[in-house]
Amino acid sequence: MTTNPTPPVPPRPESAHIAPPPAPVPAAPPRADAPRPPLRVVLTVLELAALGAIGSAALAALSAVLGVGLALLFVFGVGLLFLVGVVYALYGVAWFEIRRVGSLYSVDVPDLRWRERARPGFGGWLRTLARQSVDGRMWRTILHFLLACILGTIVLRVFWGMVWSVFFAFAPLSSEGSVAGPFGSYLAVEWAPLIGIVGVIVGGAGIIALALLHRVLSRALVIPNREAELTAQVRTTTAQRAGAVRAAELERTRIERDLHDGVQPRLVSVGMTLGLAKQKIEADPAAAKELIDEAHTSTKAAITELRQLARGIHTSVLDDRGLDAALSALAGRSHIPVHLDVRIDPSATGAGAACRDAEAAVYFAIAESLTNAAKHSRASECRVVVRSRDGGLWARVEDNGMGGAQVQPGGGLDGITNRVLAAGGTFRLDSPTGGPTSLEVSVPCAS
């Protein structure tokens, strides 16, 4: 979206780019259908052998494409197409490797997810691609795939060594007095059975050791570490608790401010007006009637303000009819035209739904964002998108205003941050100078 040029203005007192603490990696408990250890070792050996035969070729192909992309990088930018393909291919390999390891060891490893687009348009896609190309989890998984291919190649070599040992053990069946041994040596035929048996035993032990090494590498690089996972959960829980306390404090301050600055003076004025009417009711009934009418009007305005204040604390339509209806009512009251696009699971909205707390957090974030846009952004329109995503709710609010927003302690976006964080969600804001301003929140539903 584009806006008319405006004279320089100071930055908005609300908004900035905030990176919430990363959510903890979900636990990876063993599934009930996990194969027994001997069968798992056999499956590991077979998969390593397959990776040794096929994975090495895949890595070689990726390396070749990467080399071509780097070589053609400065030839009219042709190399960029190859590099983009490499990023997508690496993502696919990492996704496959996570699925393979999770299935092999029967643990629920979270899938690798493509980074969400930071902002719309071609520039946003390039930025997302750059962020994905340096994703730490993807590269750890690629490293695991590389090591697994190396282990698979060694497994194939050791297996052929075992086959050679089997044939070598039957060398006495021939009439020759000596046989060719390992490393170009010649041994007496009487030693052949012993060496062959030792070769088979050592080769089998080596293959089992490689399978166990693969498990250790998987635990270190792909499967979440239990201790690190618990540490992350404690850190996130602490942040959520702090966010909940901070959100409650900000909400209490807002209620006190609204009561003190709005409803309280109006009620005081009503009381004074009624007092004057009481004094004039006998001497000047007409003036007293006018004062009573004025007090009545002020009383209705105070009731309206109290109703709006109560709606800010708890929106009854959210419980009665769900998030879609609540947002429709919110868009109808907005001073800026709002394009609303809500597509959520009907079973996850309304009273008693699992997403009740998530709906409240998302509604609050959207309401505060629209209020900020109306007060500070000089925007002519807003767009609100809400989706059911990954077992939770995802929302994006974008306005075509002047941008340049920053988060200030005690401000509206500070309240959004703490409210979303307390619900276990994430919050991201992009507001470059000149606009547009976009805010994204993602809140998980209660399990």
Side-chain angles (χ1 to χ4, degrees):
M1 303 178 184
T2 59
T3 56
N4 295 329
T6 57
V9 293
R12 289 162 53 182
E14 306 286 338
S15 301
H17 206 114
I18 292 182
V25 180
R31 295 198 294 260
D33 58 347
R36 296 180 180 276
L39 177 59
R40 184 180 292 116
V41 171
V42 173
L43 293 176
T44 303
V45 171
L46 292 177
E47 290 193 6
L48 286 177
L51 288 177
I54 302 175
S56 301
L59 288 175
L62 281 175
S63 301
V65 175
L66 178 61
V68 172
L70 293 176
L72 299 178
L73 185 60
F74 299 102
V75 182
F76 303 106
V78 176
L80 290 176
L81 299 178
F82 289 91
L83 296 180
V84 169
V86 168
V87 174
Y88 279 99
L90 289 175
Y91 172 81
V93 171
W95 181 89
F96 162 79
E97 184 69 359
I98 289 176
R99 281 297 187 94
R100 182 187 71 83
V101 171
S103 176
L104 175 62
Y105 296 112
S106 299
V107 291
D108 295 323
V109 184
D111 285 336
L112 182 67
R113 299 192 181 280
W114 189 266
R115 293 293 186 95
E116 294 182 356
R117 182 169 295 190
R119 55 189 303 180
F122 182 71
W125 174 75
L126 287 179
R127 185 174 178 181
T128 303
L129 190 68
R131 292 172 58 199
Q132 185 63 48
S133 65
V134 296
D135 183 74
R137 189 178 181 216
M138 184 182 78
W139 282 107
R140 287 197 307 272
T141 309
I142 292 297
L143 175 60
H144 181 271
F145 181 76
L146 173 62
L147 295 176
C149 290
I150 295 175
L151 294 180
T153 303
I154 298 175
V155 164
L156 292 176
R157 297 293 181 90
V158 174
F159 174 76
W160 285 115
M162 291 177 61
V163 173
W164 177 87
S165 297
V166 171
F167 283 100
F168 192 77
F170 290 96
L173 297 179
S174 64
S175 58
E176 299 178 359
S178 62
V179 292
F183 309 109
S185 61
Y186 283 87
L187 302 172
V189 72
E190 292 81 5
W191 291 96
L194 177 61
I195 294 176
I197 293 174
V198 171
V200 171
I201 294 175
V202 172
I207 289 179
I208 294 175
L210 291 172
L212 296 178
L213 178 59
H214 176 271
R215 180 180 178 85
V216 172
L217 293 174
S218 299
R219 288 287 181 183
L221 297 175
V222 179
I223 300 176
N225 180 270
R226 183 62 178 171
E227 181 178 355
E229 172 192 333
L230 292 177
T231 301
Q233 287 180 349
V234 170
R235 186 184 303 114
T236 303
T237 302
T238 303
Q240 289 178 0
R241 182 178 61 184
V245 172
R246 177 64 175 162
E249 180 182 354
L250 292 175
E251 186 70 7
R252 178 181 59 81
T253 303
R254 183 184 68 84
I255 294 172
E256 291 178 352
R257 184 180 63 246
D258 291 345
L259 289 174
H260 183 272
D261 297 342
V263 179
Q264 180 179 340
R266 192 176 294 277
L267 292 177
V268 171
S269 175
V270 170
M272 295 177 61
T273 303
L274 290 176
L276 291 175
K278 183 178 179 181
Q279 295 177 2
K280 293 178 177 292
I281 194 167
E282 295 182 356
D284 191 355
K289 182 178 180 181
E290 291 180 1
L291 291 173
I292 292 174
D293 290 340
E294 180 182 345
H296 181 252
T297 302
S298 296
T299 302
K300 291 193 293 183
I303 293 174
T304 301
E305 290 186 10
L306 284 174
R307 184 180 295 113
Q308 293 176 348
L309 179 61
R311 186 184 293 116
I313 300 173
H314 178 77
T315 306
S316 58
V317 68
L318 197 61
D319 283 338
D320 299 336
R321 300 172 58 191
L323 182 61
D324 193 356
L327 291 179
S328 297
L330 183 65
R333 298 193 304 268
S334 175
H335 298 290
I336 302 176
V338 177
H339 301 280
L340 194 61
D341 183 7
V342 181
R343 303 177 191 176
I344 57 179
D345 185 5
S347 63
T349 186
C355 288
R356 173 66 187 87
D357 294 338
E359 283 186 315
V362 169
Y363 175 86
F364 176 84
I366 294 174
E368 192 64 37
S369 299
L370 294 179
T371 300
N372 288 342
K375 289 182 178 179
H376 309 293
S377 71
R378 299 184 182 178
S380 60
E381 62 179 354
C382 290
R383 178 176 177 81
V384 178
V385 180
V386 183
R387 296 286 187 271
S388 295
R389 178 182 294 181
D390 299 333
L393 294 177
W394 172 87
R396 177 185 177 90
V397 183
E398 182 176 355
D399 66 63
N400 62 346
M402 65 183 185
Q406 294 181 352
V407 171
Q408 298 293 339
L413 285 172
D414 189 21
I416 294 178
T417 305
N418 290 286
R419 178 73 70 93
V420 172
L421 183 61
T426 58
F427 165 86
R428 185 167 57 82
L429 181 71
D430 185 24
S431 182
T433 301
T437 295
S438 63
L439 178 144
E440 290 186 13
V441 296
S442 180
V443 183
C445 294
S447 58

